[in-house]
Amino acid sequence: MPTSVQRRHLTKQQFVYETLRDAILRCEFQPGERLNIGVLAKRLGVSIVPIREAPRLLESEGFILNVAHVGATIAPVSRQSILEIYTILEGLESVSTRAAVQLGRPEQFTELEAVIVGMDEALAHGHADEWIDLNSRFHLAIGRIAAMPLLEQMLQRVLAEWARVSRHLFKDVVLDRANAAQAEHRKLVTRMQAGDVTGAERTVRKH
């Protein structure tokens, strides 16, 4: 996990929250794993107080569960939760893509193409973690083009959970799937640039 030196500009509570959240999303803590407050405090070099507050915030986001007689535990990944993630993503991305086609400017589509190039480089070097991060960045960029702040917030939350699931269950097969995904990304941007609302929405649903 990042050190306090790297995030010294944050308050202790913000530092603990962001560090712990990032570690959960990167599966440094596995689903179902119990959080040891004392060990975390020592590891991060802070008191128990900010450590106790961070799990409460992360529980409100669904990343942590408070299990009776056990304590703070990393939320599990289940078949139902995976289906939920992909169902919600399909709905959110259909809406964001449709709006982005109508509102997008040429330079914004060029930025999307630049992200795809970065994903190609990550893929060429076998960097699955980097590819997962850039994939989220690509889809969040479409959400920003759509100019719907609430939708963007929702998309960010679901994509974060998608990244956690990908790292936990699918990391070994992400790169196998990535080549097909890259082709779909390019097709999506091409249809967005052409103003093809129906085609872009159909592509993102398939994706």
Side-chain angles (χ1 to χ4, degrees):
M1 289 192 292
T3 66
S4 56
V5 173
Q6 291 172 297
R7 295 185 174 183
R8 72 175 84 191
H9 61 289
L10 302 175
T11 65
K12 288 183 179 179
Q13 182 177 322
Q14 289 173 320
F15 162 66
V16 172
Y17 163 75
E18 292 193 11
T19 301
L20 185 53
R21 186 178 188 274
D22 186 64
I24 291 171
L25 295 181
R26 295 190 175 280
C27 288
E28 293 174 24
F29 293 105
Q30 292 296 310
E33 182 177 346
R34 177 180 176 273
L35 289 178
N36 187 310
I37 301 300
V39 171
L40 275 175
K42 185 176 181 180
R43 185 175 178 181
L44 297 178
V46 298
S47 69
I48 294 293
V49 176
I51 292 288
R52 289 190 184 282
E53 184 61 27
R56 294 192 187 103
L57 295 172
L58 291 164
E59 184 178 1
S60 70
E61 295 182 34
F63 292 118
I64 283 179
L65 300 179
N66 194 3
V67 181
H69 310 300
V70 176
T73 303
I74 306 302
V77 172
S78 65
R79 176 180 173 81
Q80 180 57 40
S81 66
I82 294 171
L83 289 173
E84 182 180 13
I85 289 165
Y86 281 97
T87 299
I88 294 173
L89 269 179
E90 181 181 357
L92 291 176
E93 295 207 83
S94 293
V95 174
S96 65
T97 298
R98 185 165 57 247
V101 172
Q102 297 167 336
L103 298 174
R105 301 187 302 275
E107 63 269 22
Q108 291 174 310
F109 297 137
T110 300
E111 290 173 8
L112 291 176
E113 291 175 325
V115 177
I116 293 174
V117 171
M119 295 168 78
D120 284 337
E121 293 176 359
L123 185 58
H125 291 90
H127 296 162
D129 271 339
E130 184 179 353
W131 189 90
I132 289 171
D133 287 340
L134 288 169
N135 182 74
S136 293
R137 180 179 164 189
F138 175 84
H139 290 283
L140 281 171
I142 294 174
R144 282 191 293 275
I145 295 172
M148 297 182 185
L150 181 56
L151 183 146
E152 186 181 344
Q153 290 174 18
M154 295 168 68
L155 193 57
Q156 186 171 23
R157 169 68 181 85
V158 181
L159 281 169
E161 188 61 40
W162 172 85
R164 184 173 83 104
V165 167
S166 295
R167 288 188 171 98
H168 177 59
L169 292 179
F170 308 133
K171 187 173 182 178
D172 291 340
V173 299
V174 161
L175 296 179
D176 292 334
R177 160 66 183 151
N179 284 312
Q182 289 295 88
E184 291 165 1
H185 289 147
R186 287 190 169 82
K187 182 182 291 186
L188 176 60
V189 173
T190 296
R191 288 179 170 173
M192 292 174 72
Q193 290 171 321
D196 182 359
V197 175
T198 301
E201 189 173 355
R202 185 169 57 247
T203 299
V204 82
R205 283 183 178 276
K206 178 182 177 183
H207 178 66

